[in-house]
């Protein structure tokens, strides 16, 4: 779901760990994320990728996420796994 | 000797009426009704609601709450407040109670009337902070070094959290001892109907201040009931208080004679007055084959077991300890001659009260402790089985 | 013990389970003038841990304050349901937050009432009032306590300034219950 | 791209995962709680500093922050309330090769644990102390800590705090710490860097991290949620490296700024080094003179 | 399950030879011989000589002493050192011991093998700092909140301060419990001949480190004797230690089942192994009419009383407790069937051990406590009179 | 002119006598012990400041200095080791008209009592804290206190202290004290004046007095007796009023001077005043809102 | 035993309280005092007035004396009592 | 118990009373190869308080370590004498610091030996060695322990560097005893 530039940012989300705090969404510098309407099992909304191609892989979302539910990394341009 | 002067509670401080309240809040109201006007505390689950409520109520009743830096500070700060003239308490649970052990002894030694509330949770150590136990019953008696006697009360209901908190303060003043108000998490967090009576129906014991002028006053000369009269700072008595062994003037004295005179009195003033202090409740003991001895929440669980026993054709009754220390051993000894067995359910594994029952019973009938590690209450079935077993 | 109603309310921390127990008990004890005991068990978490309240309603003094087999179980989470379903009386009543609890199989003898309380609460304005929605729903479906008593209890138990919101939530749950299960 | 923990092995793992006791997830912290954020910073700092994980031990006291030790896959000790530092002292001195991190809350380290804090700083013991300051005793439901800002509402200060709070960087520096910094859960990059520096510093290093407690502190004070708090830090924090710690007291209600940054980074003989030197001189030629050596 | 591996003491650390030394210094030498290489302490009379000597000896034996800021710090610092791999102790007296109560519980809960030395002085509170008592005997058993079991030893002579200190460390390692070395001021400050044997004659129990690799190791899975194997920090096990109720992995778990499993085991590991732990000395009990049960300095004073009794034609013998906790109730129960009475002199007024004797005896014969407020030792005449009285 | 206590009444009494429980003389302090000297200064300061003796309470911890309370004919409390300050806190707050003086030793107030010290200073509680610093736990025979100078010999540091000592004026000032001074038992006139000022100051005031302990500290360190120590102070003390407390650390073995003087004297709202103000505003028109008022 | 100037200094010594520390002797600015050869009951030497006429009544001896065994005061010139 | 010698040494803190007990016991236990127990009692004062040591010397193990009626009382202060004189056996031996202890009346049955130990110690160079002067005196007058054993005990018990001074003090006391009471 991510798109290519020189580096592509890859974001990994573990929905079931998410507690819906929206911090990742708010502080992603390039607004890649948004909260989904769906609930996870605990009844929380979780983030999804709104603009995956914008992601720089800066991993700020990963550093912020209090629940270790999201993180990101940079990958040199190739096909997403 | 100053007589015991009971007064009515201060009407503006008493929330007379019917409430649906938990035990912790009720205990706070009891303290306020009893005249407690100072509390020093440090947060700890499952007791904190007591001081939280006190902090909220304090300005309305002319009281002060101070959150100290730790339990050690709390447990001595409140004694400073007592010597400044107020009635005071501190509130804690297991780990905090352990930290207070030096100062429970200081209160006993200096005869500082005050109340320590311990809302018992499951231990040892940090244990299960949010879950109940009755594992500190011997700690409140033996947890400080050296010899002393204390008074400990165990409420079983929200109403009793209120009522016996008043009793706790009154006993503290009457005997100038630290009184331990030994709740358990269940009783503390249980919500029930609470009826707070009119202030005029609440008897509050005032401090036994001396009427003697400074020249004639000896701070540690006991009255007939072995309790010395009290003074407070700022009234011109220029008295001295020390945790060292002291003579009647309150001065340190390193002689064996002073030690004997003082420490024996500290113990005797409770032991000799024990019959006046004891409180218990008996239920269905008339003609019972088995007596269940219990306290706090366990006593209410025991009632269910007694009901099960009845369904099974066994007559069992409840002897519910309200005063746990001083222990009403005499009464239990009597009881032991009238029943075929005694069963003692409590939320600890070392039979903290069961041991004392055994000692009192001295083999007159079998004593069956029903231990529990805490972290919950007994399954009434377990107590019921113990009742059956005790008879076989 | 004569008439005795045992209710278990369970969910996770943050759902306001304990407050539900308090309001229910208070409605009965103060506003119906009888006797009630509410006991609770909760974990160390401020949020998210398993959490449950037991409410015992009696005409006279409540001696034994715990539920043995509940007459009513309110399950606010899957875990709560899994843990406590078996402790419900065979003829008991089950209330569930239907988006958070999936019944493995409908338990035959049970009366089961389901409500999307969280979603309704979000509609009412704040997720925090999920518990009050559920109480309205309980009042409508079980009828154990009068609506009046419950409303008084709600009003006198919620934080000052939130009474209106809570009463609204209560009504939403109540109406939902009436409409889905009672009225028709 | 969504995934569960079992990511294919070709993808890098969440950098915090090697540090986590994943079998204990989800953790007990609330939605938006800043403690987890600090753990991310910590994990990344450890990764970068190259300390072998087997030589890294973590000691916590009791509290929400105190639970950090239990979630980190290190030799980890969840001690008693306020006593992480003296436990860490014994641990470090008995086994000097260990890097010992103390990770706990404001109430734990500066309330009940204040004496150990100042004495360990005085001794300049080689510990890295990470203090998550959420201005409240969170785990017990929100009582006033010694850092609670004036006029904030806490359960034990229902009409607002009127006591003066501690300026912790100043207390640490005045007591003898050699590295003192304050950051916030908003400043994740700097926080990570500060922890990294603290880990590398010999001696008593202290990193205070202001972090949101949405459930208790923010809610009670009607300050919004985690997002609002982080935004507040973003907007009101002034980075002033090298500031005199005397001037970095926090007064959220009367000032519109919070001073953050690396305040102190000095050299001073560390306790165990001093010990070894002292005894080496005194007992030359004697037996092995030093514990654990 | 790791076997118990005894080794010889480290020869360079053992001051073999004959000394004229006081009990405090001997206790320190015992600790060093036992392999104690870390001590954390805070000064308090009458115990301080133990750490003073340790501080002096430390550099010569590769040990470390740290004087902490208070007793609370000392009592947890030593546990850090244990988890870092060393054997460790702390040393104190009454007031300091009271401050350690939270951490004795932590040691019990986390199964941290360590030794707490309490040189008992007269209390309560500051009391008589330089004078003896035996008033903390129940404190070491019940002073921390919640349920746990501990081991307590009482030496009666300088030689025993040395010998049983080694035993104390060995027991701590064998059962992973805090062991309380309960001296009294008399024994601590009494100077006698001390024979320190050759290091090869001293058996020292090594830590029960696991041999399992990290993947297979469960830090709190008990062996057959209910004691789990141990690891230390820095060895790659990445284990977790907590004072919360924890499962076999060492992880917090708030279930009643875990609480039961853990706390029952903590208690059973001592109770079940008690017969292996018990140590006592019997003197002239063969055919005695009266058994005097005592410990510490009082047991030596009792010998004088027994001599007086003999002169008076009464056959009395001594049962001297060395292990006070776990209490050898079984043996005393037996004893109670063989003598006509039991007399229990001790330096406290609440019959701290006498109560336990009573409980064990269950009415089989009269038990006469001979209390004393501390601040001195018994007049042997008083014990002698109690012996006579007990027979009448 | 020699005389016994029963001087003819025409002659003025020893000014300390009205403060003394003379029936308890001789006191337990050793020949030349500086504690008695500080008591002379205290008595004279109290006389001058005009506080009615019935409104003056004194609280000590445990130690040689801790015995001061027991010898002074005031409402006097000999509490537990290290806990004089929290006891005094309760006493003061329950009975605000009292002037409460805490009088204790370096080990008592800065060792075991350190946490209370910093927290009371933080709160700026109206206490006068007099700390007699003799660099040792004297009463227990001379163990190293947190003020023990480097390289001094103490029973628990038989090869010399290698730990960094506290700079107590700095700790007090950094924690929030409003009056901070250090004098010595040689500087009796200034010590008296400092105590007087401290008594008159509203808020947490702190006077450290360096005083000889000839029996334990001086003897063990072969520093002569009381006379030698007082001479040392006479010769090596530099009076520097207003000095930055940061710079007044004592290092007897490596520096040839000890900085003394009045370091701090500032105005800041006192705890009980703050409390009254806070509640007066919040609960206007309500009931009596303040304890003891 | 004191002599007259404008003010006379009067020194009072309680021999039995003295512990012989010599502080008063050493720090009397005008060297009024010296230690006696005699012992008191506790076995201590105590101060005596060597040069009483020099005494200014400054009471430094009184402020120093750890044992409250000496003090002094100024008196306007008249006969010593 | 066969031969058993009970000695009480009493004075005030700072006089080195406990060390006297230790040296005496050590001489007997280590250098005479028998058994001894020394017990002490002291007050809170570092200096000046009442202080006493009890030394029990036996051939075999000392079971009961306290003196009942002392064979020898060494009184280093008036208070010590006042308190303990009555506990001396009728036929016991009394040693006193003669400038500090005044006997009310000479107790008839007692052997009494007096020495100005403090003054001698001051002569020897330091008041601190008063106790050792007294030990020398005790050795000379009572003869319970050999001079050699005592000297060894002194040497091995006093602070390093002060051995010479202490042995000198010992000799002074010894000689004083011999000259005043034994030699003539
Ligand atoms: C001796 C003791 N006192 C009190 C407690 C209760 N207690 C547990 S956690 C906690 C609060 C911790 O606050 P803080 O250190 O600020 O951590 P936070 O929860 O805010 O992260 C307290 C007071 C305890 N466990 N032990
Ligand atoms: C809890 C506790 N720990 C230890 C002691 C022992 N103790 C009594 S006095 C003292 C030393 C006091 O030293 P300091 O405060 O410097 O006073 P000083 O004697 O030097 O005047 C100590 C450690 C005690 N009484 N209580
Ligand atoms: S990696 Fe950076 S850009 Fe990508 S989603 Fe996370 S925060 Fe946004
Ligand atoms: S920061 Fe983490 S917990 Fe919060 S919404 Fe994002 S993924 Fe969920
Ligand atoms: S209560 Fe506060 S600090 Fe604790 S986990 Fe929740 S948000 Fe975090
Ligand atoms: S030991 Fe030191 S401080 Fe204590 S009284 Fe003697 S000289 Fe003073
Ligand atoms: S009053 Fe002054 S001059 Fe007179 S003796 Fe005393 S110190 Fe010397
Ligand atoms: S200062 Fe006092 S104790 Fe010292 S010699 Fe002079 S009078 Fe005596
Ligand atoms: Mg916090
Ligand atoms: Mg000191």
């Amino acid at each position: 779901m991510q798109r290519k530039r020189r580096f592509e940012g890859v974001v990994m989300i573990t929905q079931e760990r998410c507690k819906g705090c929206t911090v990742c969404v708010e502080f992603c510098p390039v607004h890649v994320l948004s909260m989904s309407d769906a609930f996870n099992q605990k009844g929380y909304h979780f983030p999804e990728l709104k603009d995956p191609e914008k992601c720089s892989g800066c991993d700020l979302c990963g550093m912020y996420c209090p629940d270790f539910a999201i993180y990101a990394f940079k990958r040199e341009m190739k096909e997403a796994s | 000797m100053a007589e015991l002067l009971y007064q009515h509670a201060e009407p503006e401080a008493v929330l007379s009426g019917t409430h649906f309240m938990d035990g912790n809040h009720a205990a706070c109201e009891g303290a306020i009704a009893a005249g407690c006007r100072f509390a020093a505390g440090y947060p700890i689950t499952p007791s904190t609601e007591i001081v939280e409520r006190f902090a909220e109520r304090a300005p309305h009743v002319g009281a002060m709450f101070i959150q100290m830096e730790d339990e050690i500070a709390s447990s001595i700060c409140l004694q400073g407040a007592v010597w400044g003239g107020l009635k005071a308490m501190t509130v804690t649970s297991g780990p905090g109670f352990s930290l207070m052990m030096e100062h429970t002894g200081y209160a006993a030694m200096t005869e500082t009337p005050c109340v320590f509330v311990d809302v018992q949770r499951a231990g040892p150590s940090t244990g299960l902070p949010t879950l109940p136990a009755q594992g500190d019953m011997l700690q409140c008696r033996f947890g400080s070094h050296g010899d002393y006697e204390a008074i400990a009360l165990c409420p079983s209901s929200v109403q009793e959290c209120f009522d016996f908190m008043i009793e706790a303060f009154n006993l503290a003043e009457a005997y100038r001892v630290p009184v331990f108000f030994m709740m358990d998490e269940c009783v503390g967090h249980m919500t029930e109907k609470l009826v707070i009576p009119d202030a005029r129906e609440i008897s509050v014991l005032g401090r036994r201040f001396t009427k003697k002028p400074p020249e004639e006053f000896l701070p540690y000369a006991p009255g007939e009931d072995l309790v010395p009269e009290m003074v407070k700072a700022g009234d011109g008595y220029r008295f001295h208080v020390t945790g060292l062994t002291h003579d009647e003037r309150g001065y340190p004295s390193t002689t064996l004679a002073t030690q004997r005179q003082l420490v024996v009195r500290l113990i005797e003033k409770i032991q000799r007055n024990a019959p006046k202090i004891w409180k218990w409740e008996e239920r269905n003991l008339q003609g019972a084959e088995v007596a269940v001895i219990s306290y706090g929440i366990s006593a209410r669980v025991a009632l269910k077991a007694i009901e099960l026993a009845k369904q099974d054709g066994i007559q069992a009754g409840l002897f519910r300890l309200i005063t746990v220390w001083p222990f009403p051993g005499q009464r239990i000894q009597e009881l032991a001659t009238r029943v075929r067995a005694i069963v003692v359910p409590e939320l600890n594994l070392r039979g903290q009260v069961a041991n004392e029952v055994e000692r009192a019973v001295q083999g007159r009938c079998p004593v069956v402790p029903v231990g529990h590690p805490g972290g919950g209450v007994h399954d009434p079935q377990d107590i019921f089985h113990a009742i059956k077993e005790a008879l076989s | 013990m004569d008439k005795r109603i045992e209710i278990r309310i369970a969910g996770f921390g943050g759902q306001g389970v304990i407050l539900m127990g308090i309001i229910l008990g208070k409605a009965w004890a103060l506003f119906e003038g009888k006797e009630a005991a509410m006991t609770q068990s909760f974990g160390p978490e401020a949020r998210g841990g398993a959490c449950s309240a037991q409410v015992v309603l009696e005409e006279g003094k409540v001696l034994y304050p715990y539920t043995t087999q509940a007459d009513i179980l309110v399950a606010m989470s899957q875990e709560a349901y899994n843990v406590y379903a078996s402790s419900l009386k065979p003829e008991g009543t089950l209330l569930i937050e239907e988006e958070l609890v999936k019944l493995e199989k409908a338990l035959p003898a049970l009366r089961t009432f389901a409500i999307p309380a969280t979603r309704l609460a979000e509609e009412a304005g704040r997720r925090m009032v999920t518990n009050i929605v559920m109480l309205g729903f309980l009042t409508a479906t079980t009828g154990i306590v009068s609506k009046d008593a419950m409303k008084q209890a709600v009003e006198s138990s919620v934080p000052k300034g939130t009474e209106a919101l809570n009463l609204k939530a209560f009504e939403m749950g109540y109406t939902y219950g009436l409409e889905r299960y009672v009225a028709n | 791209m969504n995934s569960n923990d079992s990511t294919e092995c070709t993808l890098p793992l969440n950098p915090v995962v090697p540090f986590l006791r994943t079998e204990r997830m989800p953790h007990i912290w609330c939605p938006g709680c800043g403690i987890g954020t600090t753990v991310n910073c910590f994990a990344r700092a450890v990764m970068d500093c190259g300390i072998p994980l087997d030589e890294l031990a973590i000691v916590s006291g009791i509290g929400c922050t105190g639970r950090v030790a239990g979630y980190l896959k290190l030799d980890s000790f969840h001690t008693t309330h306020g006593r992480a530092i003296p436990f860490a002292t014994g641990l470090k001195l008995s086994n000097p090769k260990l890097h010992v991190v103390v990770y706990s809350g404001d109430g734990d380290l500066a309330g009940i644990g204040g004496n150990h804090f100042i004495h360990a700083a005085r001794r300049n013991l080689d510990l890295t102390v990470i203090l998550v300051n959420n201005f409240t005793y969170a785990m017990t439901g929100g009582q006033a800590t010694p850092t609670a800002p004036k006029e904030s509402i806490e359960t034990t200060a229902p009409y607002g705090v009127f006591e003066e709070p501690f300026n912790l960087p100043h207390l640490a520096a005045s007591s003898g710490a050699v590295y003192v910094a304050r950051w916030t859960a908003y400043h994740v990059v700097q926080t990570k860097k500060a922890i990294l520096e603290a880990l590398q510093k010999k001696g008593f290093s202290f990193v205070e991290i202001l972090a949101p407690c949405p459930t208790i502190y923010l809610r009670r004070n009607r300050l919004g949620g985690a997002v609002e708090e982080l935004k507040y830090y973003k907007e009101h924090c002034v980075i002033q490296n090298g500031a005199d710690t005397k001037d970095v007291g926090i007064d959220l209600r009367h000032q519109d700024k919070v001073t953050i940054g690396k305040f102190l980074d000095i050299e001073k003989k560390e306790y165990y080094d001093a010990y070894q030197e002292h005894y080496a001189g005194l007992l030359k030629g004697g037996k092995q003179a030093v514990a654990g050596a």
Side-chain angles (χ1 to χ4, degrees), chain B residues 94-159:
Chain B
F97 199 47
S98 287
L99 289 174
M100 293 183 175
M101 286 300 117
E102 187 183 9
H103 290 147
T104 59
Y106 186 76
M109 186 63 148
T110 55
E111 301 181 70
T112 303
C114 56
V115 173
F116 287 80
V117 182
D118 175 12
V119 185
Q120 295 170 88
R121 64 190 224 184
S125 196
T126 316
L128 294 168
T130 59
L131 297 174
Q134 297 167 328
D136 311 348
M137 295 308 302
L138 283 167
Q139 184 185 24
C140 71
R141 181 155 157 71
F142 293 112
S144 196
H145 60 283
D147 271 320
Y148 59 96
E149 283 281 342
I151 295 177
L153 302 178
C154 285
S156 264
S157 67
V158 172
Q159 186 68 46

Side-chain angles (χ1 to χ4, degrees), chain B residues 6-82:
Chain B
Y6 286 91
Q7 304 143 355
H8 295 155
E10 222 180 278
E12 311 91 82
V14 178
L15 296 183
S16 305
T18 307
H19 306 260
F20 194 62
M21 199 182 264
D22 76 14
N24 280 347
H25 289 91
C28 175
E29 288 304 327
I32 291 172
C36 176
R37 290 296 174 269
F38 191 92
Y42 187 82
I44 187 164
T45 305
S47 76
T48 318
E49 294 88 351
I50 301 178
V51 290
E52 287 173 342
R53 189 180 183 102
F54 198 91
E56 203 179 311
R57 296 268 286 129
H60 305 285
V61 299
M64 186 163 194
F65 169 70
I66 182 166
Q67 186 177 314
M68 294 300 284
E69 50 274 18
D70 59 25
E71 287 90 348
I72 297 178
S74 304
S75 61
I76 191 79
C77 179
L78 97 151
Q79 300 189 47
V82 169

Side-chain angles (χ1 to χ4, degrees), chain D residues 22-35:
Chain D
T22 41
E23 68 274 33
R24 298 200 62 214
M25 296 297 122
H27 55 54
I28 65 165
W29 296 314
C30 310
C33 173
I35 299 170

Side-chain angles (χ1 to χ4, degrees), chain A residues 11-62:
Chain A
V11 183
M12 312 288 288
I13 299 172
T14 311
Q15 291 175 3
E16 283 308 319
R17 269 204 204 138
C18 172
K19 292 186 188 147
C21 70
T22 78
V23 166
C24 56
V25 172
E26 290 287 339
F27 294 95
C28 166
V30 291
H31 309 294
V32 171
L33 308 164
S34 67
M35 293 306 281
S36 139
D37 279 341
F39 287 115
N40 67 8
Q41 272 200 36
K42 279 254 180 184
Y44 295 115
H45 303 290
F46 45 86
E48 54 187 16
L49 297 171
K50 184 177 62 175
D51 273 330
E53 68 287 352
K54 285 204 214 149
C55 175
S56 68
C58 69
D59 191 34
L60 273 178
C61 49

Side-chain angles (χ1 to χ4, degrees), chain D residues 105-107 132 134-138 145:
Chain D
D106 50 332
V132 177
N134 51 19
F135 306 115
T136 198
Y137 288 100
T145 51

